[in-house]
Amino acid sequence: MEGQMAALGMDPVSVHHDLLIEIGLVEMAMDQVMGRDDSMVDAEVERLSCKRAKLNAALAQLAA
């Protein structure tokens, strides 16, 4: 994976850092959504959970 990113001119450390930041932002959004009291909470939490899972998968693939 690192070789592929290097061929594209991407720094693996920067990509790792960006993924961690994005995961943190998604988790903060989840905390805010869970604090709301409306009918869309479940759908929004599900959407954010899927996004976090994709980011975690990308992070795991980066480490491989």
Side-chain angles (χ1 to χ4, degrees), residues 24-36 45 48:
L25 291 172
V26 169
E27 289 178 351
M28 287 191 305
M30 287 179 71
D31 289 342
Q32 287 184 346
V33 168
M34 286 189 251
R36 293 189 333 216
V45 168
L48 290 167

Side-chain angles (χ1 to χ4, degrees), residues 30 33-50:
M30 287 179 71
V33 168
M34 286 189 251
R36 293 189 333 216
D37 187 27
D38 61 40
S39 62
M40 297 301 295
V41 170
D42 290 338
E44 194 69 16
V45 168
E46 179 66 26
R47 185 185 69 79
L48 290 167
S49 293
C50 289

Side-chain angles (χ1 to χ4, degrees), residues 12-27:
V13 174
S14 296
V15 174
H16 182 265
H17 182 258
D18 291 347
L19 284 170
L20 290 175
I21 290 173
E22 192 66 26
I23 289 168
L25 291 172
V26 169
E27 289 178 351

